[in-house]
Amino acid sequence: MTRKPNAESTRRTLTFPAVHPSDCTPPSALLSSVTDLARSILACKPKRFACNRRNAAESIRGVANLLVFLEEVPPAGGGSVALSLSELHLALRNLRYLLEDCTRDGARVWMLMKSERVAGQFRALTRAMATALDVLPMVDAGVPVEAREIAGLFVRQARKVRFEVDLDDRTAVSDLKSMLSRFECGIVPERSCLERVLDYVGVRSWTDCHKEIRFLDAELGFEFLSVEKREVEILSSLMGLMCYCRCVLFEVVDVECNRQSNEEHAIKVLDHINPDDLRCPISLELMVDPVTTVTGHTYDRASIVKWFRAGNFTCPKTGEVLASTEVVPNAAIRRLIELYCSENGIPFAESAHKHRDITRTVLAGSVAAEGAMKMLASYLAFRLEVGTGVERNKAAYEIRLLAKTSIFNRSCLVEAGTIPHLLKLLRSSDSSIQENAIAALLNLSKHAKSKAIIVENGGLVLVVQVLKYGHKVEARQHAAATLFYLASIEEYRKLIGEIPETIAVLVEMVKNGTSRGKKNALVAIFGLLMHHGNHRWVLASGAVPVLVQQLKSSDREDFVNDCLAVLSSISERSEGASAILRANALYIIMGILNSSTSRVGREHCVTLLLALCIYGGAEVISNLVKSSSLMQSLYSLLSEGTSRASKKASALIRLLQDFSERRSCSSLPAIFQQEQFIHAW
């Protein structure tokens, strides 16, 4: 009945999802479960509490007395005993949640700010336990006299203890608010005050600070989904404060959160995962709260709950009748989705909404957060300009992190003048400095103003040099992705294409690079193809045979779709279509159309086939007409595809039907080919 605390739990802080045990649970099982809960709470005693230390200690001490009582209660009992134990179970479960929150890594500053509410929860839960003991029929339950005295002592103490906020907590909260006020006024907070507050809650390293930022960012995501958005301002302010502290107070990036950290290794796992596997099989959107049913299949909680409420008690994927509608949070999949969203600049908590409110990343969220970020951007620009090699490397790494997901952060960093300094670091002989600099530029290049600044400071040639000769594979991959963003400007597409061997190097990366490198190179080539003058360079580099080979060998649907997108762009010109036909891609494309489950991929296939028919003529069309399964795939797109895919499928169907009719007519005797006019009066 009890469950072990899960370090990867997706429960939000200060939420208490515990419910009363089932009415069918026998008193003996209830007693055993309540006793286990009490023991698990006592295990929290040696942990460090971010705030409310005295209240936590008092609660744990009370549970220790309660455990002594529980161990003396006989296992048998009637309905009134079960009711009391049920109330105790609920209170103890929620108390354990509260203690977990008070010791949770990453939530320390937030829990400090919520210390008043936390103290109130300690008071409410302790008194709920006292009430449960008060109504327990001790005599009827056969509780020994000594145990009754212990219960009475617990009840009296629970009602006597005030559970007020610690004085030290109040002082620390006051210091926090003072620092946020200074940010609002554009005044740099005192370093000693920052260090004092962070030390008080146990944030003593870059890693600790980074965890706080990640937690606050996740909470912000949830808060923006709420109607009230009550906590957005304070969460944004604290996040700005912690970002400032991470960059200014901690000179060393800990090994745990450095480039070789477990998180970085986990990100590499994404290279081998199909993003479609992170989507809910019901809604087809990225899952926000993935849960697994008894059949082992994972769905977004909102979708599967809606499925059950509609009266469906089967697994949507297999049709198997479910023995139970109970679902279990899938923390592993949730973490992968978080990483995927982080890598692709998607706010995780909003990932399931097609029309996301980007206010969260466009604006700072509060005046304090805005002030903190502007100060921090100036500080990092200064470090890049006059710092030592180590200081510049750390500044580049911090910019890389800050610019990754926030449009507002990018704006501040661009305005502070960081780009010219980062471009200079691309020439560094230090592989780490070069990688962090190009990664930072990649994230900044997503900002509208940054592209012109990069080009005006000679950045195109420098980025291409990293693409060709970068010290690390990762640096070359980042350079390819940077070219994609720069290629969003027509003028720059032309300039990039004119730099010798640029496109050839990208094609080579598609052929022999890592999964991430191949994807980045593909999107860069796609962007460059938007300038028609680059088509000849793409064809001359041998891109078509390489792309066709990737279609044959790759089992990743998203990568296949990217290859198809580039080939579709190439097929817009007759010489491109001819190159695709010479690479024997026709039947490969038809096979993908017939087997793919991706709407995007199937649309690219139809686009390609239509272009190949137009430029390849009767020979191509006749090969398509011979395919018995092609027409079925095209007709399915008419009803299941997007409007654009439907139009293209319709055009291709008409083309094939017209060809078949003409060929049929040509096989008839000449007399039947003449038009027959029948006059009807």
Side-chain angles (χ1 to χ4, degrees):
M1 186 178 300
T2 60
R3 62 177 180 82
K4 294 180 180 179
N6 185 355
E8 295 295 324
S9 173
T10 56
R11 178 183 63 86
R12 292 185 66 187
T13 57
L14 298 179
T15 58
F16 306 99
V19 295
H20 288 99
S22 170
D23 293 339
C24 300
T25 307
S28 58
L30 267 176
L31 178 61
S32 176
S33 186
V34 169
T35 304
D36 288 343
L37 273 170
R39 291 193 181 109
S40 70
I41 287 173
L42 294 183
C44 296
K45 189 174 182 179
K47 295 182 179 179
R48 178 179 176 83
F49 292 87
C51 65
N52 277 269
R53 292 160 192 163
R54 183 179 58 79
N55 291 335
E58 187 66 39
S59 295
I60 293 172
R61 186 162 48 249
V63 172
N65 293 332
L66 180 63
L67 180 60
V68 174
F69 164 78
L70 292 171
E71 290 174 341
E72 296 295 325
V73 176
S80 55
V81 173
L83 177 62
S84 180
L85 290 175
S86 177
E87 293 294 336
L88 272 177
H89 192 281
L90 178 67
L92 285 170
R93 279 283 295 273
N94 284 331
L95 177 59
R96 190 175 69 182
Y97 285 137
L98 184 61
L99 292 169
E100 286 174 4
D101 290 343
C102 289
T103 57
R104 179 175 174 178
D105 282 346
R108 296 181 174 278
V109 173
W110 180 240
M111 292 299 290
L112 176 63
M113 286 297 291
K114 291 293 177 180
S115 52
E116 286 278 2
R117 180 179 171 187
V118 173
Q121 287 294 335
F122 276 120
R123 179 168 54 252
L125 293 173
T126 301
R127 291 180 180 172
M129 288 186 283
T131 301
L133 284 181
D134 231 0
V135 299
L136 179 66
M138 301 285 183
V139 177
D140 294 346
V143 178
V145 175
E146 296 82 359
R148 292 184 221 167
E149 292 176 355
I150 294 172
L153 177 63
F154 177 89
V155 171
R156 289 192 297 274
Q157 288 180 334
R159 290 172 176 167
K160 180 180 178 181
V161 177
R162 298 174 64 88
F163 288 102
E164 294 181 342
V165 177
D166 295 349
L167 180 60
D168 290 341
D169 287 352
R170 293 188 186 278
T171 302
V173 170
S174 177
D175 288 342
L176 261 181
K177 292 180 178 179
S178 174
M179 288 184 288
L180 295 179
S181 296
R182 292 177 76 89
F183 280 132
E184 291 176 358
C185 299
I187 303 171
V188 177
E190 296 178 8
R191 184 185 183 98
S192 59
C193 188
L194 293 170
E195 291 174 336
R196 183 170 63 250
V197 172
L198 294 193
D199 183 71
Y200 177 75
V201 294
V203 177
R204 299 191 177 97
S205 67
W206 192 96
T207 296
D208 294 338
C209 209
H210 187 62
K211 288 178 180 177
E212 296 287 320
I213 293 167
R214 287 178 55 196
F215 168 81
L216 292 167
D217 186 51
E219 286 294 302
L220 264 174
F222 283 114
E223 197 60 31
F224 266 91
L225 287 178
S226 68
V227 177
E228 298 85 0
K229 297 180 175 58
R230 295 174 183 170
E231 308 285 6
V232 166
E233 184 173 350
I234 185 60
L235 283 167
S236 300
S237 298
L238 290 176
M239 190 168 172
L241 169 68
M242 297 311 293
C243 286
Y244 183 89
C245 290
R246 186 186 67 190
C247 297
V248 175
L249 298 186
F250 304 107
E251 296 293 336
V252 178
V253 179
D254 307 60
V255 174
E256 182 182 349
C257 281
N258 205 350
R259 296 291 295 138
Q260 300 302 317
S261 69
N262 292 333
E263 181 175 324
E264 293 296 334
H265 289 304
I267 289 173
K268 291 180 181 179
V269 173
L270 292 175
D271 291 340
H272 307 285
I273 289 178
N274 189 337
D276 286 342
D277 293 335
L278 305 179
R279 298 181 182 276
C280 175
I282 299 175
S283 68
L284 301 182
E285 299 291 344
L286 282 175
M287 291 180 279
V288 174
D289 187 7
V291 294
T292 302
T293 64
V294 292
T295 60
H297 293 287
T298 300
Y299 305 89
D300 199 23
R301 185 187 294 275
S303 297
I304 193 64
V305 167
K306 186 176 180 181
W307 172 267
F308 292 150
R309 286 175 179 170
N312 302 302
F313 300 103
T314 57
C315 176
K317 288 193 75 172
T318 66
E320 178 184 348
V321 177
L322 299 174
S324 168
T325 58
E326 182 179 357
V327 293
V328 178
N330 192 324
I333 293 296
R334 180 185 170 94
R335 185 70 191 116
L336 285 174
I337 296 171
E338 287 177 337
L339 288 171
Y340 175 79
C341 291
S342 177
E343 282 296 286
N344 291 277
I346 304 171
F348 169 66
E350 302 172 15
S351 60
H353 297 258
K354 289 182 179 179
H355 306 291
R356 293 191 300 271
D357 178 7
I358 62 171
T359 305
R360 177 187 169 193
T361 60
V362 172
L363 303 176
S366 71
V367 177
E370 180 179 348
M373 191 59 229
K374 288 180 177 179
M375 286 184 199
L376 183 53
S378 298
Y379 172 84
L380 292 171
F382 179 75
R383 277 296 183 97
L384 287 176
E385 183 176 10
V386 302
T388 63
V390 173
E391 290 171 342
R392 287 175 175 171
N393 189 26
K394 183 175 182 293
Y397 184 57
E398 295 288 1
I399 293 171
R400 173 182 183 173
L401 295 180
L402 291 167
K404 193 167 190 177
T405 58
S406 171
I407 297 172
F408 179 77
N409 289 356
R410 290 174 204 148
S411 176
C412 291
L413 291 163
V414 170
E415 295 292 339
T418 59
I419 289 178
H421 302 306
L422 288 169
L423 288 171
K424 293 177 183 177
L425 296 183
L426 296 184
R427 297 192 181 97
S428 174
S429 58
D430 186 312
S431 62
S432 179
I433 292 177
Q434 185 187 66
E435 183 197 351
N436 284 326
I438 188 63
L441 285 166
L442 164 60
N443 293 330
L444 291 175
S445 67
K446 301 171 186 178
H447 190 267
K449 294 182 180 179
S450 64
K451 300 172 183 63
I453 298 173
I454 290 173
V455 174
E456 289 167 4
N457 285 273
L460 285 183
V461 173
L462 291 172
V463 171
V464 170
Q465 285 179 349
V466 176
L467 174 71
K468 295 178 180 178
Y469 313 114
H471 302 310
K472 298 171 70 175
V473 171
E474 291 81 2
R476 297 194 290 274
Q477 292 172 179
H478 295 319
T482 305
L483 290 179
F484 164 72
Y485 287 104
L486 295 174
S488 63
I489 307 296
E490 172 64 25
E491 180 186 353
Y492 302 158
R493 291 178 209 134
K494 181 176 182 295
L495 294 175
I496 294 169
E498 291 173 348
I499 300 176
E501 299 182 355
T502 301
I503 292 176
V505 174
L506 289 171
V507 171
E508 176 62 25
M509 187 177 287
V510 172
K511 182 178 181 180
N512 296 316
T514 63
S515 297
R516 181 60 56 86
K518 288 180 177 183
K519 187 173 182 67
N520 290 355
L522 273 175
V523 296
I525 294 171
F526 183 81
L528 293 172
L529 280 169
M530 294 176 72
H531 174 65
H532 291 302
N534 288 329
H535 277 247
R536 59 188 176 121
W537 301 118
V538 172
L539 293 176
S541 67
V544 171
V546 170
L547 291 169
V548 173
Q549 180 57 42
Q550 295 299 317
L551 291 181
K552 292 180 183 178
S553 59
S554 179
D555 57 358
R556 286 191 55 179
E557 195 166 59
D558 62 321
F559 181 68
V560 168
N561 290 347
D562 290 339
C563 290
L564 290 170
V566 175
L567 286 170
S568 295
S569 184
I570 292 173
S571 70
E572 292 174 358
R573 314 189 115 208
S574 60
E575 57 269 29
S578 298
I580 293 171
L581 289 171
R582 287 196 301 272
N584 299 315
L586 184 63
Y587 290 103
I588 297 173
I589 296 168
M590 291 170 62
I592 295 172
L593 174 60
N594 291 332
S595 62
S596 177
T597 58
S598 168
R599 295 177 185 176
V600 174
R602 297 176 75 193
E603 181 176 334
H604 287 317
C605 287
V606 173
T607 302
L608 271 165
L609 293 177
L610 192 57
L612 295 179
C613 286
I614 292 171
Y615 292 114
E619 183 179 354
V620 174
I621 299 174
S622 64
N623 286 326
L624 296 185
V625 169
K626 294 175 185 176
S627 173
S628 59
S629 58
L630 176 62
M631 202 61 81
Q632 181 179 351
S633 297
L634 292 176
Y635 276 115
S636 70
L637 273 176
L638 293 179
S639 57
E640 300 172 5
T642 63
S643 59
R644 185 169 60 177
S646 179
K647 289 178 182 178
K648 291 179 179 178
S650 179
L652 185 55
I653 289 170
R654 285 197 303 270
L655 189 64
L656 297 178
Q657 288 176 339
D658 289 346
F659 179 84
S660 296
E661 290 174 3
R662 287 196 302 271
R663 187 172 63 176
S664 176
C665 290
S666 65
S667 65
L668 295 173
I671 188 172
F672 291 107
Q673 296 179 37
Q674 298 176 1
E675 290 184 312
Q676 303 294 316
F677 294 96
I678 300 176
H679 298 280
W681 300 92

